């Protein structure tokens, strides 16, 4: 009888300990998600600034190429060359990292996760479309202005 009383007195403490561990896990997950989101946001902001600066610098090159008779298609291919090369390098790396993370999570936590190939394809197509639109808009802006004014601009 004494053992039953002592076991019943431990039940509320055990429940509180489990609740406390669950809340810690939840807060750890939220803080990890927040830190990861901040890192991704900082990287995206940095990349967007670099891409815009690159397009500003290339604006003069596009104007010079148009002045010597280069076609719009050639200028567009020149504008998309490096971003598409970076995309082609980044996609296999992202796929490998996703596979690695899924396998680690599956081994460590017995989660039923799987890599989604359609998601990678969708992201790569949308990113390619964004790159194409950014490059096309920049080249259109350059080529719709008189080339002399584009070449005389300081910024």
């Amino acid at each position: 009888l004494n053992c039953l009383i002592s076991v019943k007195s431990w039940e509320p403490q055990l429940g509180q300990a489990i609740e406390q561990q669950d809340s810690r896990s939840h807060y750890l997950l939220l803080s990890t998600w927040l830190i990861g989101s901040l890192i991704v946001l900082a990287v995206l902001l940095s990349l967007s600034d670099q891409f815009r600066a690159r397009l500003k610098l290339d604006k003069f090159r596009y104007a010079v190429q148009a002045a010597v008779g280069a076609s719009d298609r050639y200028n567009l291919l020149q504008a998309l060359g490096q971003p598409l090369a970076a995309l082609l390098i980044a996609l296999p790396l992202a796929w490998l990292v996703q596979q690695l993370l899924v396998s680690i999570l599956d081994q460590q936590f017995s989660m039923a996760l799987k890599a989604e190939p359609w998601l990678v394809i969708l992201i790569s197509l949308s990113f390619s479309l964004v790159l194409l639109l950014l490059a096309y808009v920049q080249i259109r802006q350059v080529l719709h202005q008189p080339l002399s004014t584009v070449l005389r601009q300081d910024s």
Side-chain angles (χ1 to χ4, degrees), residues 38-132:
L38 288 174
I39 291 171
V40 167
L41 180 66
V43 167
L44 288 177
L45 287 175
S46 174
L47 286 176
S48 68
D49 287 343
Q50 288 178 8
F51 189 69
R52 264 186 277 152
R54 172 69 186 227
L55 285 177
K56 275 185 182 181
L57 292 174
D58 285 345
K59 180 170 52 169
F60 296 111
R61 185 169 54 109
Y62 304 144
V64 169
Q65 288 174 348
V68 295
S71 68
D72 293 349
R73 188 176 305 142
Y74 176 78
N75 277 335
L76 186 62
L77 289 175
Q78 289 294 317
L80 287 173
Q82 288 183 346
L84 285 179
L87 179 66
L88 290 175
I89 292 170
L91 282 176
L93 289 176
W95 179 256
L96 288 173
V97 168
Q98 181 186 17
Q99 292 292 333
L100 180 68
L101 288 175
V102 165
S103 68
I104 289 172
L105 287 174
D106 190 37
Q107 289 173 359
Q108 295 294 322
F109 302 109
S110 299
M111 297 178 128
L113 296 175
K114 62 178 183 174
E116 299 291 340
W118 63 268
L119 185 61
V120 173
I121 292 170
L122 178 70
I123 290 171
S124 64
L125 288 177
S126 62
F127 189 70
S128 299
L129 181 65
V130 168
L131 286 176
L132 179 66

